[in-house]
Amino acid sequence: MSSIDRVLVVGATGRTGRHVVAAAAGHGLSPLALARNEARAREILPGTEIVTGDLTAPDSLTDAVRDIDAVIFVHGSDDDARPESFERIDYGGVANVLRALGGRRPRIVLQTTIFVTRREHYFNDGGHALDFKRRSERLVRLSGAPYTIVRPGWLDAGPGGEHLRIEQGDTGEDGVSREALGALLVEALLDDQAIGKTFEVFSGPGSATTDFTSLFAQAQPDRSGALDAVKDTANLPLDAEPDRIRDDLAQLRTL
C-alpha cells in the first residue's frame, strides 16, 4: 500500500463524487473537494475541506494541487452542456490539473466511462464526448504518474447491488451503483495492485466486494508507454489527432 493522506477530489460535489469523498474519509484520508463555488460545496459536503479552482483556468489550480498526495477525477460536463465543453472540461480539466502539478506526479485515479473506444456510438455525436474522455486517459497514461483508469458502466442502472466485477476491452454494457463505484475508486487509490491498469467496472446482486486486491489482480496492466489500454481497439491514431492534442501529449513527455 502507498502512503497517501491528502486526496484532491475533482468533481467532488457530483452524485458520484460525494460517495468518493465519504469513502476517502471512511479510510481515514483527508479529502479535499475542488469547487468553483465554495458556498455551494460547503452545503453539499459539510465538514469537508474545500479548495477553490476552475478546471478551465489552469492558474486557479495551483493552490488546489499544493501538498496533495493523490487525485481522483470524477468530473464531467453537465448533461445539457454545449458540445465544446467535452474538450474544455472532460479533457481540458485533466490537462490543466497535470499542468498545475508541474513536475510532481502524485497517485491518480481517473474515472471515464464505458464506450470510450466505440467511436460510432451515439454518445460521440456532436461534441465527441467519448473521444475526449479517451484523450484524457492518454494524458494520464503518458504523465508518468502511478495511475488507475476506471470506466464505469451505466451509473445507477441495471440490477444494482454492491458485488463488483471488472472487464477489459470496452465490451460490457451493464450498470454500476454510484456508492459501489465511489468505494472502488478510493480502493484503487490505495491498492498497488491497481497501478497501471485500465478496466471497466459493473455491479450486481451478491455479497459486497471486500477483497479489492484480488479484484484488481484480475486486470492486465497497460503496456508501458502505450497511449491506450491493453485490450483497446486501435481506432484513434495519433497522427490523425488535432495539433493541439498532440502538443499536450508532447508537453507531458517533456515534464
Side-chain angles (χ1 to χ4, degrees):
M1 298 289 185
S2 302
S3 177
I4 292 175
D5 176 28
R6 294 173 61 80
V7 181
L8 182 69
V9 183
V10 180
T13 59
R15 288 179 290 170
T16 303
R18 301 173 203 187
H19 290 296
V20 171
V21 169
H27 275 278
L29 304 177
S30 302
L32 290 73
L34 180 69
R36 287 178 299 172
N37 186 326
E38 182 177 355
R40 177 176 178 272
R42 292 197 183 283
E43 289 181 3
I44 295 172
L45 299 168
T48 300
E49 183 176 351
I50 309 299
V51 290
T52 56
D54 185 336
L55 287 177
T56 66
D59 291 345
S60 76
L61 299 171
T62 303
D63 288 340
V65 302
R66 184 175 289 118
D67 299 326
I68 61 170
D69 301 309
V71 184
I72 300 180
F73 289 98
V74 284
H75 69 297
S77 301
D78 296 333
D79 292 339
D80 60 350
R82 293 173 295 177
E84 65 269 22
S85 68
F86 299 121
E87 179 174 2
R88 290 189 308 107
I89 298 173
D90 297 59
Y91 168 84
V94 175
N96 288 336
V97 169
L98 291 174
R99 290 191 185 101
L101 285 166
R104 292 181 294 126
R105 288 296 176 260
R107 185 78 167 263
I108 292 176
V109 174
L110 171 68
Q111 173 194 294
T112 58
T113 183
I114 56 171
F115 306 140
V116 290
T117 66
R118 304 190 207 181
R119 302 198 66 202
E120 302 305 314
H121 194 280
Y122 69 88
F123 278 5
N124 226 16
D125 293 347
H128 297 280
L130 296 176
D131 286 346
F132 280 111
K133 287 285 191 184
R134 186 174 182 180
R135 288 163 178 151
S136 74
E137 293 186 357
R138 290 177 164 184
L139 292 175
V140 169
R141 289 194 190 95
L142 294 190
S143 71
Y147 72 85
T148 307
I149 296 171
V150 179
R151 299 167 172 174
W154 296 97
L155 296 172
D156 287 334
E162 305 302 308
H163 183 75
L164 295 166
R165 79 174 195 279
I166 61 175
E167 298 181 11
Q168 291 179 292
D170 200 13
T171 59
E173 297 193 15
D174 292 339
V176 63
S177 81
R178 291 182 190 270
E179 184 173 4
L181 173 61
L184 177 136
L185 294 171
V186 175
E187 294 286 352
L189 187 73
L190 299 173
D191 196 320
D192 288 352
Q193 188 61 239
I195 291 178
K197 296 180 177 181
T198 301
F199 51 82
E200 295 82 56
V201 62
F202 309 100
S203 66
S207 58
T209 298
T210 57
D211 185 353
F212 285 90
T213 298
S214 295
L215 182 71
F216 299 142
Q218 297 173 24
Q220 296 181 31
D222 296 334
R223 291 181 293 273
S224 178
L227 286 175
D228 293 317
V230 62
K231 294 185 178 182
D232 281 355
T233 302
N235 58 356
L236 189 66
L238 182 60
D239 59 7
E241 286 284 78
D243 288 344
R244 64 188 183 279
I245 302 297
R246 286 184 286 167
D247 288 346
D248 286 343
L249 293 171
Q251 288 174 15
L252 277 176
R253 289 191 176 103
T254 65
L255 286 175

